[in-house]
Amino acid sequence: ETGVTQTPRHLVMGMTNKKSLKCEQHLGHNAMYWYKQSAKKPLELMFVYSLEERVENNSVPSRFSPECPNSSHLFLHLHTLQPEDSALYLCASSQDHPGPYGYTFGSGTRLTVV
Amino acid sequence: KQEVTQIPAALSVPEGENLVLNCSFTDSAIYNLQWFRQDPGKGLTSLLLIQSSQREQTSGRLNASLDKSSGRSTLYIAASQPGDSATYLCAVFGRDYQLIWGAGTKLIIKP
């Protein structure tokens, strides 16, 4: 399998639940990203990992917790979310960060918080 | 601070037409510009990546041009088809190593 794979595709969770989003890339890239896309808003960069180390955290609430156990996998752990956190969460990878290499995106996880 | 603007915000044309989507940016000191396609509720598919040293890139019926001095890029779609209906996003990778996104152009191709 090639490219960037995200699971699950859809997730509905209550505000007291704990869940995790998974991202896997088979491109040999060294950098991975989490983006949030809300309705009618531009993509928001949440986290950047380079060589398994977090290099950016763009003022994201602590109820979102990323984890990068190796260069191929990236998780986003969710707990006590709010309804306004409902959005499409996109994972991306790039050859290196920072660098002008272009980005490859996954299909996203559509999250609904009830 | 880099700003990226896409015009028009939405476009509806009959099938078969050639069309142009526009992307403009305020800071010409960029490393590259990337065009993406997004179908409703789905992830982003990379269409074309133009490095700052390049003038254009082509893939099938798509052609993207880059004019850094004027801060513009265009995505040309030839012989449009209903399957081209999607939102098209441009993103600029600039001097501060940030990827700055346009708001997108929603394209509808009518059969």
Side-chain angles (χ1 to χ4, degrees), chain B residues 24-100:
Chain B
S24 61
F25 45 95
T26 54
D27 184 352
S28 62
I30 66 170
Y31 289 102
N32 61 43
L33 183 147
Q34 195 166 1
W35 281 94
F36 294 89
R37 168 190 172 136
Q38 186 174 31
D39 293 289
K42 300 291 181 62
L44 276 68
T45 300
S46 178
L47 299 175
L48 291 163
L49 171 67
I50 312 178
Q51 300 293 346
S52 63
S53 59
Q54 298 173 321
R55 297 282 295 184
E56 65 178 346
Q57 285 284 331
T58 298
S59 176
R61 294 182 293 109
L62 304 180
N63 176 276
S65 67
L66 176 64
D67 183 345
K68 277 201 313 176
S69 60
S70 64
R72 292 174 184 266
S73 176
T74 60
L75 179 66
Y76 176 82
I77 303 177
S80 58
Q81 304 170 358
D84 294 330
S85 299
T87 296
Y88 290 79
L89 295 158
C90 73
V92 171
F93 191 74
R95 69 169 85 213
D96 55 358
Y97 298 115
Q98 298 288 325
L99 192 64
I100 307 299

Side-chain angles (χ1 to χ4, degrees), chain A residues 24 31 68 82 90 109:
Chain A
E24 185 173 1
C68 187
Q82 304 298 311
L90 293 163
T109 295

Side-chain angles (χ1 to χ4, degrees), chain A residues 25 28-32 49-52 71 93-97:
Chain A
Q25 58 98 0
H29 288 172
N30 294 320
M32 296 186 76
Y49 276 82
S50 177
L51 297 172
E52 303 153 42
S71 59
S93 71
S94 180
Q95 182 62 52
D96 281 298
H97 180 88

